[in-house]
Amino acid sequence: MALFIIKRLGLALLVALTVSIISFVLLRTSGDAAIAIAGEGARDIDIEAIRQAYGLDRPLAVQYLIWLGQTLGGDFGQSLYFKTDVVDLVLAKAPVTLLLGLLSLAFALLVAIPLGVLAAVFANSWIDRAALAVAVFGQAMPNFFFALLLVMLFSITFRWLPVSGSGSWLHFVMPTVALGYYAAPAFMRLVRAGMVEVLSADYVRTARAKGLPTRTVVFKHALRNAIVPVVALSAVQLGYLLGGSVVIETIFALDGLGFLAYQSITHKDFPVIQAVVVMLSVIYVLLTLLGDIANAWLDPRIRVA
Amino acid sequence: MTRPILEVANLSVDIRTAGGTLQAVRDVSFSVGRGETLCLVGESGCGKSVTSLAIMDLLPRAATRRVSRLAFDGVDLARSGKGAVNALRGNRMAMIFQEPMTALNPAYTIGDQLTEGYRRHKKAGAAEARERAVHLLEKVGIAAAGDRLGQYPHQLSGGLRQRIMIAMALMCGPDLVIADEPTTALDVTIQAQILRLLAELQRELGIALVLITHDLGVVGRIADRVAVMYAGEVVENGTAAEIFTHPRHPYTQGLMDCIPLPGRTKPGERLGVIPGVVPSLVGGIQGCPFRDRCPHARPVCAETPPVKTQGEHAWRCILEDA
Ligand SMILES: Nc1ncnc2c1ncn2[C@@H]1O[C@H](COP(=O)(O)OP(=O)(O)O)[C@@H](O)[C@H]1O
Ligand code: SF4
Ligand SMILES: [Mg+2]
């Protein structure tokens, strides 16, 4: 188990490093950082001075290594737009995004697990088809569109929920639903497929032969086995949800990392973008690792070896 | 005669498959007295498992059961609600399955799986159920029974798991146990041990046992009654003595001919092979299903053969006495 974790950690580091290289190269080739720093309408000579001062005239590889060195030392630099330390900025916004991610994950599971179980227990019936319809709907609709529908319904028509901002828990309701609903179909399919398989397993028949009521057979004996892959997917999906928060936070002006990323991109705030991308990728990789560990732990064949 | 513990009358099971409807079990009737051992024998695929699952109401979803009477201790299960059937299952009637490797839930401990039915049916507390589980594990010959309760199925061998399945079936002190080829999946050396154990427990506890087996040697030793199945039908049914000494149906005779002579019978001898193939069960069978393989077949066998009886002995064949 320890070896397994060490191996996966090494892999995680490698992935994070690769992401940082790719994002660095993409960012540096997508626009001239010196122009961004100097601001609109700066003179060529000033831009040139900035380019030299920031080392932007050096080869890309050298620039990357310098950045990597500073980053590993905990120095992500200064925000060009907010004029504050990038680390402070990112840390201040992270809790909102993490909360949104966890809430929408919880929402997705809350919707997907009961639907998936129902669909499997009543496989090929109208209940199954109705659950499938909900899932297809969720997957087919872009989440920004769904978010706008929610806004129209709950903020404009009923006036129950605030349109934007992050002041209270009410501000989290629509972002959570919009983001979570998007993740639910994948869970639902996984739960349904797992349950259909497990429900025809011999040990489920054994449980029925004991005279246990249907709910015990379904929830204790079947779901416990069908849920194992869901745990791993939860971690991966949480990563996706953090990525998806860029769009959702922007729509609802929810003041988290996603909104920060959007603002930094519009203002060509390279250090912040780079930091957010690296941070999200590290979280993503760590979550995947966590999922694998949880998976191993949930399976007694691996845990009690 | 006292009321039988199990009465099955005109049981049929259809299974929907991609190739059409498979008539897996057709018009099967038999009964089992209290404390009696009925052996259900027949070639693989003749419908033994489906019959036992139909009795326990454990058929797969693709299967449909029709039965004119399916009575446990006088109560017709076919006309009882789900709750009433669940109150009997695992309590007064229990089943042991063919595959011990997959019959236990990998996610729960042996102790949990042994005690959950007992706790439900007997409204027992955890300590009492645990005590009962330890008692039964010892009874089925498992050493260090207390330690086993905390183990998971993957930590145990197939033989141990099947002992645990037997203990599980006995937890609530059932009146009837159905054991579907309980040793087929095990090593030959362990097979005999498990069957001996089952037979001993059956006698000691006075349980009625329906044993599905390929092993005619075992049938000869422990059966009170024998039902012979062929292509979904019970073709002959009678006391073990009658079936062994005076088999009436040509199929039963064929099976008996395949047993080596007394004295030369090897332990664990399996049913022999009768030349020919079993007809397809898809889409229904006209006439006697055995006629393609029967040495006595005549044109009249293309019509449904009558059921002949002599005392408790019954067989489906045109012949009075072959
Ligand atoms: N779940 C199922 N789906 C389709 N066919 C089945 C299923 N279970 C059993 N059958 C078919 O029903 C017939 C009887 O099977 P079974 O009762 O398992 O035979 P056996 O006497 O070997 O126990 C066989 O033809 C088998 O292929
Ligand atoms: S009915 Fe005819 S074919 Fe069938 S077993 Fe009897 S003699 Fe043979
Ligand atoms: Mg079978």
Side-chain angles (χ1 to χ4, degrees), chain A residues 2-294:
Chain A
L3 185 72
F4 165 78
I5 293 175
I6 290 170
K7 263 202 223 157
R8 297 305 306 255
L9 267 176
L11 197 67
L13 265 174
L14 214 66
V15 171
L17 212 61
T18 312
V19 170
S20 77
I21 293 175
I22 293 173
S23 59
F24 192 89
V25 172
L26 280 178
L27 282 175
R28 286 298 146 95
T29 49
S30 71
D32 193 333
I35 296 176
I37 297 167
E40 282 310 310
R43 289 180 304 158
D44 283 359
I45 188 157
D46 292 335
I47 294 172
E48 198 51 43
I50 287 172
R51 186 166 288 138
Q52 279 177 15
Y54 282 80
L56 295 172
D57 52 347
R58 303 221 196 147
L60 214 52
V62 176
Q63 288 187 41
Y64 174 75
L65 287 177
I66 292 172
W67 173 85
L68 187 64
Q70 287 172 342
T71 301
L72 290 179
D75 176 13
F76 281 84
Q78 292 280 312
S79 162
L80 304 178
Y81 177 71
F82 294 98
K83 312 288 183 209
T84 53
D85 199 50
V86 171
V87 175
D88 293 344
L89 198 60
V90 166
L91 286 185
K93 311 278 181 182
V96 168
T97 300
L98 217 61
L99 184 64
L100 176 63
L102 288 173
L103 282 175
S104 41
L105 178 67
F107 176 78
L109 290 173
L110 226 60
V111 170
I113 292 177
L115 274 182
V117 169
L118 269 178
V121 169
F122 300 99
N124 305 319
S125 72
W126 68 268
I127 295 177
D128 188 13
R129 281 188 284 276
L132 182 74
V134 172
V136 167
F137 193 61
Q139 262 173 348
M141 194 165 43
N143 59 0
F144 71 85
F145 184 67
F146 184 56
L148 293 177
L149 282 183
L150 288 178
V151 169
M152 273 168 58
L153 198 63
F154 292 104
S155 300
I156 297 172
T157 308
F158 293 126
R159 301 184 167 280
W160 287 342
L161 295 168
V163 179
S164 66
S166 37
S168 74
W169 68 269
L170 282 175
H171 288 102
F172 280 89
V173 175
M174 284 191 293
T176 297
V177 171
L179 200 51
Y181 184 50
Y182 186 65
F187 284 120
M188 202 208 91
R189 284 163 190 277
L190 193 66
V191 171
R192 185 193 177 278
M195 284 296 286
V196 163
E197 190 186 325
V198 165
L199 281 174
S200 65
D202 282 0
Y203 55 79
V204 166
R205 192 173 60 189
T206 306
R208 288 171 63 206
K210 284 182 198 171
L212 302 175
T214 307
R215 61 168 187 283
T216 311
V217 173
V218 169
F219 290 103
K220 178 179 176 184
H221 286 275
L223 186 58
R224 172 65 176 74
N225 285 287
I227 208 86
V228 172
V230 172
V231 176
L233 184 69
S234 293
V236 176
Q237 282 284 9
L238 186 55
Y240 279 126
L241 290 175
L242 294 180
S245 67
V246 176
V247 174
I248 293 298
E249 285 181 9
T250 305
I251 291 175
F252 292 100
L254 200 60
D255 201 11
L257 281 183
F259 193 36
L260 177 66
Y262 166 76
Q263 288 171 313
S264 328
I265 290 166
T266 40
H267 296 116
K268 293 208 166 55
D269 196 344
F270 293 106
V272 177
I273 303 172
Q274 183 75 26
V276 171
V277 167
V278 169
M279 177 148 167
L280 285 180
S281 72
V282 168
I283 292 177
Y284 183 80
V285 168
L286 286 180
L287 283 172
T288 313
L289 173 67
L290 203 71
D292 286 346
I293 295 172

Side-chain angles (χ1 to χ4, degrees), chain B residues 249-250 253 290-291 293-299 301 317-319 322:
Chain B
H249 195 281
Q253 291 166 356
F290 190 55
R291 68 178 185 280
R293 301 165 79 183
C294 180
H296 308 282
R298 299 177 209 161
C301 301
C317 178
I318 52 155
L319 303 175

Side-chain angles (χ1 to χ4, degrees), chain B residues 39 41 213-226 240 244:
Chain B
C39 283
V41 300
T213 179
H214 275 306
D215 191 330
L216 279 180
V218 169
V219 176
R221 276 200 303 284
I222 72 170
D224 297 310
R225 304 177 59 85
V226 178
F244 274 90

Side-chain angles (χ1 to χ4, degrees), chain B residues 15 17 22 24 43-50 60 181 281:
Chain B
I15 302 178
T17 66
L22 191 146
E43 285 162 303
S44 182
C46 70
K48 305 182 297 295
S49 295
V50 170
E181 303 194 40
L281 298 177

